[in-house]
């Protein structure tokens, strides 16, 4: 649980985060409360980051991203560029190398943004190599809270491990 101030008007807000772990995965509940005397408007964002760990080749795809938008499945080209979508009900990040999927399902449709964050280091005059790469993904909602009101957002996260092949 935490509290802080929002906007240049320094409106007091509180955030409670409840985490439940069960056999299906992890459920994370966020309760955002306007503790101020006037209404506030803003964007509530929940971010998850995935770090690239294999730098053995330049043409390497660590992650695949699929989302459900308005009931239809879409594949996003990741991590080549910035992507954003609205009306997202589910998104899945798959670690292609290890065949492990991370499935995020919010309790209500949200907007989604993902983008790569790359860092390079110089190895010799003018030449640089990628030193690290993070796939940053965020779910976000527009929120409008009257004085004393709160809003709740829950995200269910399921980790789907690779299926092991049977040895014959």
């Amino acid at each position: 649980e935490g509290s802080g101030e929002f906007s240049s008007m320094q409106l007091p807000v509180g955030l409670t985060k409840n985490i439940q772990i069960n056999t299906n995965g992890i459920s994370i509940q966020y309760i955002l409360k306007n503790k101020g005397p006037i209404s506030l408007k803003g964007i509530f964002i929940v971010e998850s980051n995935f770090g690239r760990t294999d730098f053995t080749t330049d043409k390497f795809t660590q992650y695949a991203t699929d989302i459900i938008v308005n009931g239809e499945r879409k594949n996003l080209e990741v991590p080549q560029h910035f992507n954003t979508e609205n009306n997202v009900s589910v998104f899945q990040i798959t670690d292609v190398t290890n065949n492990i999927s991370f499935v995020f399902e919010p309790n209500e449709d949200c907007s989604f943004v993902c983008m790569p964050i790359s860092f390079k280091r110089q190895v010799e005059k003018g030449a640089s190599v990628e030193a690290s790469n993070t796939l940053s993904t965020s779910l976000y909602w527009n929120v409008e809270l009257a004085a004393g009101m709160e809003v709740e957002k829950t995200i269910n996260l399921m980790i789907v491990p690779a299926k092991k092949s049977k040895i014959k």
Side-chain angles (χ1 to χ4, degrees):
E1 191 170 335
S3 59
E5 295 175 339
F6 176 75
S7 83
S8 61
M9 295 177 62
Q10 298 181 327
L11 298 171
V13 293
L15 180 65
T16 303
K17 183 177 176 181
N18 298 310
I19 301 172
Q20 292 183 338
I21 300 172
N22 57 45
T23 57
N24 296 325
I26 301 168
S27 180
I28 306 160
Q29 177 193 47
Y30 299 90
I31 301 169
L32 181 64
K33 183 171 184 167
N34 179 358
K35 295 180 174 183
I38 60 174
S39 65
L40 66 82
K41 227 176 169 177
I43 298 174
F44 180 68
I45 301 173
V46 176
E47 182 178 313
S48 296
N49 295 314
F50 298 85
R52 177 177 164 189
T53 57
D54 186 350
F55 290 90
T56 57
T57 178
D58 290 338
K59 297 180 183 187
F60 178 78
T61 302
Q62 177 93 22
Y63 300 105
T65 302
D66 295 290
I67 59 175
I68 305 295
V69 178
N70 295 322
E72 293 184 28
R73 185 181 187 122
K74 286 178 81 172
N75 180 272
L76 299 179
E77 291 188 32
V78 185
Q80 280 69 32
H81 60 279
F82 176 87
N83 288 286
T84 185
E85 290 287 340
N86 295 318
N87 303 314
V88 173
S89 56
V90 175
F91 84 90
Q92 174 179 302
I93 302 288
T94 301
D95 177 336
V96 176
T97 305
N98 299 302
N99 195 25
I100 298 172
S101 294
F102 303 87
V103 181
F104 295 80
E105 186 175 3
N107 65 330
E108 60 187 69
D109 285 0
C110 63
S111 295
F112 170 80
V113 63
C114 69
M115 65 181 179
I117 302 170
S118 297
F119 297 94
K120 296 190 177 200
R121 64 180 165 86
Q122 193 168 354
V123 288
E124 51 186 67
K125 292 180 187 175
S128 61
V129 295
E130 193 168 20
S132 68
N133 185 297
T134 299
L135 177 61
S136 177
T137 63
S138 298
L139 300 176
Y140 64 96
W141 298 264
N142 291 318
V143 294
E144 197 167 333
L145 289 173
M149 298 303 290
E150 62 186 31
V151 65
E152 178 263 338
K153 304 293 181 191
T154 299
I155 300 171
N156 295 304
L157 168 62
M158 186 171 59
I159 301 170
V160 183
K163 297 192 192 267
K164 295 182 181 181
S165 59
K166 294 180 181 178
I167 300 174
K168 293 185 178 189

